[in-house]
């Protein structure tokens, strides 16, 4: 118990440490800025503003910045995006907003868009702009590798800072404002759109005068620690006016002779704040996210379940199972052997190879591949290498690890297939390297076709698809062959008891020991450990929230592994005591059924928490959900199987069998 208590303390300290270094550990150096005309090799004056894709909580389909006919620049130099950013649909582009450090500007014009209702192309562009405002598409801007935030008051006078801000809003025919229009009483024209054509950008910096920034930096400058934006709708006259103005309303119904002119402007204001350090500049964004006490509640909820299961397993292992083994080992005469009962009766059949052993071994190999991918990815995330400041790193790391972990997948699949008595080793290797990855890739490709048809920025380019296929067939498949070679070369796994030639008849089972009820019950407790954490994960995926509590997620992942193992062992013991020796597939499906509850929760989340509309968006949501559920099924199923495999071999290795 003392060792377990110390382990728990170390885990808690690891969580706090990972939270403290979660953002700038790996090579993300600060940028020093100074006033225009004072730029040197150690500081720069130009503050570059980048624009990213626009997305909406009402649609799964994101679009590039220029899709909605907004102000763009001819500058073609875009930041290099990693594999994770491309797959996630991020498209970072330079913007026409010129910002110089410590240079405050007001109502600077950017561009003007004119729409003549007599021109078909103009009508189409304006309707597209209206569609974006109607579905509440959000801008995502970036300055100094930080998201520009839009902060506003929510319930209980709390401030919420969103990493995106709306491109406009809509007031319906009944005069009821929608989304951002609610925050301004001047947006009150019925059946009208209000485009946010002006932004007030406030940049907060930490001055270099009050902090030592290393040897060689002598210029008076600063580091950016916060960037906020306040969008407004302004009906500009001939000269831009951002003080005394009326909102820019666009009626939904326009006449063929109407002309709509939208002038885009911006203002920039710099403020000094030395209390906020550069290393903690993400805090104000994260403080508005779900609080840590909810995460602790999730951990405590999971720990209660684990302690309950551990107590049950301990009771079985230390009391019931110990008595069984002692009683079985005391049997000496043949008459006593005929009185055997319980799990020892099936010792001659418990290691009988399962049906569909080829498929089971392939799923186990792929499950081990997914397990180590998730474990290593979460470990690096806890160390800060995959923080939100390092965009796309999480997805890139996961995909690269999955490709490079083909060797353990091939090894495990080959070892288990050989233990099942299989001889078609070529088929085993090919299926291990192609079946599960192929299912994921085919589904991903179908979803990508939908995004292509909609012109979405989330559509993975054809060249990237070729790169993914190259990684699959050029690296993952050969590594799987290497692992399978060593797996088949090893000696066959020797079981502690011999298998009888004639299968034993299984007696009639009660309701709770039958396969289907046992499998359904087996996934409940593991899901109970993760469902609170699932809410935050799904929110970060579908509601554009920043997820950063990787320390908690790592601990929940470990608890999930323990729970899946203990649940499968418990049910396996009950089934063996009921003289049912078909445990191979049942062990895999018992913990793997947690994926079914995950899917049900995703359906519940879609119905109750999201406002996604449209057939294509719905199909995309459930398509990506199926990919996530399938990988989760492989992971949990493999964990439960190998825990049960260890348990069965262990108990039959300590009993005397004639």
């Amino acid at each position: 118990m003392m060792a377990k208590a110390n382990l728990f303390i170390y885990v808690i300290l690891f969580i706090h440490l990972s939270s403290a270094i979660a953002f700038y550990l790996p090579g993300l150096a600060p940028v020093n800025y100074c006033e225009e005309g004072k730029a040197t090799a150690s500081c720069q004056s130009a503050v570059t503003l980048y624009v990213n894709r626009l997305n909406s909580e009402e649609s799964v389909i994101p679009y590039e910045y220029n899709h909605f006919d907004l102000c763009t620049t001819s500058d073609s130099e875009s930041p290099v995006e990693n594999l994770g950013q491309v797959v996630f649909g991020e498209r970072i582009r330079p913007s026409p907003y010129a910002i110089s450090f410590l240079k405050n500007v007001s109502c600077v014009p950017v561009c003007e868009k004119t729409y003549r209702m007599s021109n078909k192309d103009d009508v189409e562009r304006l309707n597209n702009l209206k569609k974006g405002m109607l579905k509440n598409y959000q801008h995502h801007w970036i300055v100094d590798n930080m998201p520009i935030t839009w902060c506003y008051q929510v319930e209980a006078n709390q401030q919420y800072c969103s990493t995106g801000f709306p491109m406009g809003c809509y007031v319906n025919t009944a005069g009821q404002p929608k989304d951002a229009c609610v925050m301004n009483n001047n947006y009150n024209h019925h059946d009208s759109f209000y485009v946010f054509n002006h932004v007030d950008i406030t940049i907060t910096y930490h001055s270099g005068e009050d902090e030592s920034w290393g040897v060689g930096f002598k210029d008076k400058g600063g580091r950016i620690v916060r960037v906020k934006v306040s969008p407004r709708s302004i009906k500009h006259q001939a000269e831009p006016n951002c003080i005394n103005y009326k909102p820019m309303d666009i009626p939904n119904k326009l006449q063929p002779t109407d002309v709509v002119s939208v002038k885009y402007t911006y203002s920039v204001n710099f403020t000094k704040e030395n209390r906020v350090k550069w290393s903690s500049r993400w805090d104000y964004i994260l403080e508005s996210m779900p609080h840590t006490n909810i995460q602790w509640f999730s951990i405590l909820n999971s720990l209660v379940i684990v302690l309950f299961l551990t107590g049950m397993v301990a009771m079985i292992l230390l009391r019931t199972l110990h008595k069984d083994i002692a009683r079985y080992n005391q049997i000496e005469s043949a008459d006593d052997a005929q009185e055997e009962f319980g799990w020892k009766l099936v010792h001659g059949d418990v290691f009988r190879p399962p049906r569909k052993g080829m498929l089971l071994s392939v799923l186990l190999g792929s499950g081990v591949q997914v397990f180590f991918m998730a474990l290593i990815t979460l470990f690096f995330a806890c160390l800060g290498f995959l923080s939100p400041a390092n965009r796309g790193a999480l997805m890139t790391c996961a995909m690269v690890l999955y490709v490079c972990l083909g060797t353990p997948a091939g090894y495990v699949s080959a070892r288990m297939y050989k233990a099942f008595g299989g001889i078609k080793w070529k088929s085993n290797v090919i299926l291990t390297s192609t079946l599960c990855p192929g299912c994921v890739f085919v589904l991903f490709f179908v979803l990508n076709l939908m995004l292509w048809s909609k012109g979405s920025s989330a559509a993975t380019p054809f060249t990237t698809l070729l790169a993914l296929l190259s990684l699959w067939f050029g690296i993952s498949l050969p590594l799987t062959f290497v692992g399978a070679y060593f797996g088949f070369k090893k000696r066959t796994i020797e079981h502690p008891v011999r298998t009888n030639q004639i299968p034993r008849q299984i007696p009639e089972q009660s309701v709770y020991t039958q396969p289907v009820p046992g499998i359904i019950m087996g996934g409940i407790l593991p899901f109970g450990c993760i469902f609170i954490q699932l809410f935050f994960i799904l929110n970060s995926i579908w509601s554009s929230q920043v997820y950063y509590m990787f320390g908690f997620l790592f601990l929940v992942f470990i608890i999930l592994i323990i729970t899946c193992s203990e649940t499968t062992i418990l049910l396996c013991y009950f089934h063996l005591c009921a003289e049912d020796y078909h445990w191979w597939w049942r062990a895999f499906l018992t913990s793997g059924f947690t994926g079914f509850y995950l899917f049900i929760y995703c359906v519940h989340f879609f119905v109750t928490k999201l406002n996604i509309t449209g057939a294509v968006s719905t199909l995309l949501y459930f398509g990506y959900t199926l990919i996530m559920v399938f990988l989760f099924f492989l992971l949990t199923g493999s964990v439960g199987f190998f825990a049960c495999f260890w348990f069965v071999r262990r108990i039959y290795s300590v009993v005397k069998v004639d």
Side-chain angles (χ1 to χ4, degrees), residues 136 175 229 259 329 344 444 573 610 647 649-650:
N136 194 31
V229 65
V259 177
N329 289 337
K344 189 183 178 183
F444 176 77
Y573 175 77
L610 298 179
F647 173 75
R649 286 176 56 84
R650 186 67 177 172

Side-chain angles (χ1 to χ4, degrees), residues 4 250 442 554 586-587 652 656:
K4 290 184 177 180
I250 303 176
V442 168
F554 185 81
R586 188 178 298 176
Y652 283 99
K656 295 179 181 179

Side-chain angles (χ1 to χ4, degrees), residues 174-420:
Q176 297 175 345
K178 183 182 178 182
D179 301 319
C181 284
V182 179
M183 302 178 186
N184 196 315
N185 296 327
N186 294 327
Y187 305 156
N188 52 19
H189 287 186
H190 294 199
D191 196 21
S192 296
F193 292 89
Y194 290 88
V195 58
F196 292 155
N197 57 333
H198 177 84
V199 288
D200 293 305
I201 303 172
T202 303
I203 301 177
T204 305
Y205 67 97
H206 187 121
S207 175
E209 300 172 11
D210 303 333
E211 182 184 9
S212 175
W213 288 1
V215 179
F217 186 79
K218 301 179 180 179
D219 300 285
K220 294 182 179 179
R223 292 174 180 171
I224 295 175
V225 296
R226 185 178 303 167
V227 185
K228 293 183 178 181
V229 65
S230 178
R232 288 187 285 164
S233 177
I234 297 179
K235 189 173 184 179
H236 293 292
Q237 302 301 323
E239 293 294 330
N241 183 4
C242 300
I243 300 177
N244 299 318
Y245 64 91
K246 294 181 180 179
M248 175 74 189
D249 63 303
I250 303 176
N252 190 23
K253 296 180 180 179
L254 295 168
Q255 300 299 322
T257 57
D258 290 339
V259 177
V260 178
S261 180
V262 182
K263 294 181 180 179
Y264 290 88
T265 56
Y266 71 100
S267 300
V268 180
N269 182 48
F270 284 86
T271 60
K272 183 178 177 181
E273 177 57 80
N274 284 337
R275 290 178 299 177
V276 180
K277 295 184 178 180
W278 185 88
S279 58
S280 59
R281 62 179 186 163
W282 281 76
D283 290 356
Y284 84 101
I285 301 176
L286 303 179
E287 286 172 358
S288 62
M289 299 297 167
H291 293 293
T292 307
N293 56 354
I294 302 178
Q295 304 281 350
W296 280 116
F297 175 76
S298 170
I299 299 298
L300 293 176
N301 169 73
S302 303
L303 284 176
V304 168
I305 295 176
V306 168
L307 291 175
F308 168 74
L309 283 174
T310 304
M312 292 285 291
V313 172
M315 182 180 66
I316 289 175
L317 294 179
L318 298 179
R319 297 184 59 182
T320 309
L321 192 58
H322 180 73
K323 291 180 180 179
D324 289 346
I325 294 172
R327 184 167 63 251
Y328 292 154
N329 289 337
Q330 289 174 359
I331 295 175
E332 297 180 356
S333 65
D335 294 335
D336 292 336
Q338 292 179 357
E339 297 179 1
E340 290 180 356
F341 64 92
W343 54 270
K344 189 183 178 183
L345 277 176
V346 297
H347 66 81
D349 299 277
V350 71
F351 292 107
R352 189 176 302 280
R355 297 178 180 178
K356 308 291 183 182
M358 172 76 81
L359 178 61
L360 180 58
S361 62
V362 169
L363 294 179
L364 290 172
S366 297
V368 168
Q369 190 175 9
V370 175
F371 169 77
F372 282 109
M373 176 198 73
L375 181 67
I376 299 173
T377 301
L378 285 177
F379 179 75
F380 281 126
C382 288
L383 294 179
F385 288 96
L386 310 178
S387 70
N390 198 358
R391 291 178 178 80
L394 186 70
M395 188 67 176
T396 303
C397 178
M399 288 190 292
V400 171
L401 283 174
Y402 183 83
V403 169
C404 296
L405 289 170
T407 300
Y411 180 83
V412 170
S413 178
R415 288 281 282 164
M416 296 309 303
Y417 182 63
K418 190 175 181 180
F420 295 156

Side-chain angles (χ1 to χ4, degrees), residues 54-63 67-68 126-140 165-171 178-181 192-194 454 542 544 610-618:
L54 288 88
N55 61 1
S56 169
E57 294 185 11
E58 300 180 24
S59 176
V60 184
I61 307 171
Y63 292 103
H67 178 79
F68 292 106
L126 183 60
N127 288 337
N128 197 34
L129 188 67
K130 291 179 180 179
K131 179 183 176 182
M133 290 185 282
L134 189 63
K135 286 190 171 289
N136 194 31
Y137 270 85
Q138 304 273 319
H139 290 279
H140 294 278
F165 64 95
M167 57 186 297
C169 59
Y170 173 66
V171 178
K178 183 182 178 182
D179 301 319
C181 284
S192 296
F193 292 89
Y194 290 88
K454 292 292 183 179
W542 302 111
S544 299
L610 298 179
N611 299 317
I612 294 177
T613 58
V616 175
S617 292
T618 303

